[in-house]
Amino acid sequence: EKVLGVLPVIGGQSATSKSRASREECRNRDLYIYEKPKSATAEAARTLRTNLDFLASTRPLQSLLITSAVPQEGKSTISVNTSISFATGGRRVLLVEADLRRPRLATSFEVDSARGLSSYLAGVDTEPDDYFQSTVVENLDLLVAGPVPPNPAELLQTTRFDELLEKMKNRYEVIIFDSPPVLAVTDALILARKVDGMLMVVRAEHTSRHTLRDGLRQLRAVQAPLAGIVLNHQRPLGRAYGYRGGRGYGYGY
């Protein structure tokens, strides 16, 4: 698969999968390129955006799903960074937190966490405009996950979700979905058939080869429109690389 982007370790952070980041650390990492637009990370995000624009010249990429094989690869941060990069480039962007099991983007953007995707899909007569929230980033709106539901996968398969997606496409130029990992739950595989393209996030020094192969195999099995891979958390050249990874991160109920 093509590597469409390589993002460095953000701000020199050294947290590993064994130490879960605090809410403040997550917020600083998510909004890093917005607050530091001249950083190497911001430039890397713009390179990824440019490569996606090249792909979009030959295939539609209005809706993009960003996932990973297993948790803690950085797929949420990549989703935010990519959304910010498109928005600061002048595009009207909607970031959708489709990870209904471990939501956190409401904290990063300091918006209402109760008004989200799960509550809209479980509703009846509400309008989606009431759920799209503006952010500190110009041109970027956010649809947070909302309250954690007992049936995330079922909600994503409803006609109401398909109708919502069409309304999103009529309003926004770019729609980016942050989804759960492929090998943890089925949500990403369900969403894969509904979007124009997908990015698989791979974390340097963390993702094992067999884990990546298994994730890609799952996507190919559902004929997912995989656009390419993003290598995340890349350290400066010259450092030895090892591989770790696993699946037991507590997704599900």
Side-chain angles (χ1 to χ4, degrees), residues 23 97 100 103-120 131 133 142-148:
R23 289 186 175 184
E97 187 174 32
L100 301 180
R104 68 170 178 80
L105 295 187
T107 300
S108 292
F109 284 95
E110 299 179 327
V111 299
D112 184 5
S113 63
R115 213 160 28 108
L117 179 60
S118 64
S119 49
Y120 174 79
Y131 293 79
Q133 302 186 64
L142 174 65
L143 176 57
V144 298
V148 177

Side-chain angles (χ1 to χ4, degrees), residues 130-194:
D130 298 333
Y131 293 79
F132 301 149
Q133 302 186 64
S134 60
T135 70
V136 294
V137 182
E138 187 178 0
N139 296 323
L140 176 60
D141 286 353
L142 174 65
L143 176 57
V144 298
V148 177
N151 57 340
E154 286 78 5
L155 286 177
L156 298 175
Q157 296 184 82
T158 59
T159 302
R160 189 166 172 81
F161 179 87
D162 295 337
E163 292 171 348
L164 174 62
L165 180 56
E166 288 304 311
K167 292 177 180 178
M168 292 176 186
K169 290 180 177 180
N170 291 332
R171 177 167 176 172
Y172 296 95
E173 296 174 87
V174 180
I175 306 150
I176 294 179
F177 292 88
D178 171 29
S179 88
V182 172
L183 297 179
V185 289
T186 62
D187 304 28
L189 301 179
I190 294 170
L191 290 168
R193 303 301 299 273
K194 301 175 183 289

Side-chain angles (χ1 to χ4, degrees), residues 7-12 29 31-47 81:
L7 274 78
V9 176
I10 293 179
R29 190 164 59 223
L31 298 180
Y32 187 82
I33 73 166
Y34 170 68
E35 296 172 346
K36 299 183 184 297
K38 295 183 179 179
S39 65
T41 303
E43 184 59 36
R46 286 190 287 269
T47 299
N81 284 190

Side-chain angles (χ1 to χ4, degrees), residues 69-70 183 207-216 244-247:
V70 292
L183 297 179
T207 309
S208 69
R209 290 180 177 86
H210 78 269
T211 298
L212 177 58
R213 278 197 301 266
D214 287 350
L216 293 174
R244 298 187 294 276
R247 306 184 189 180

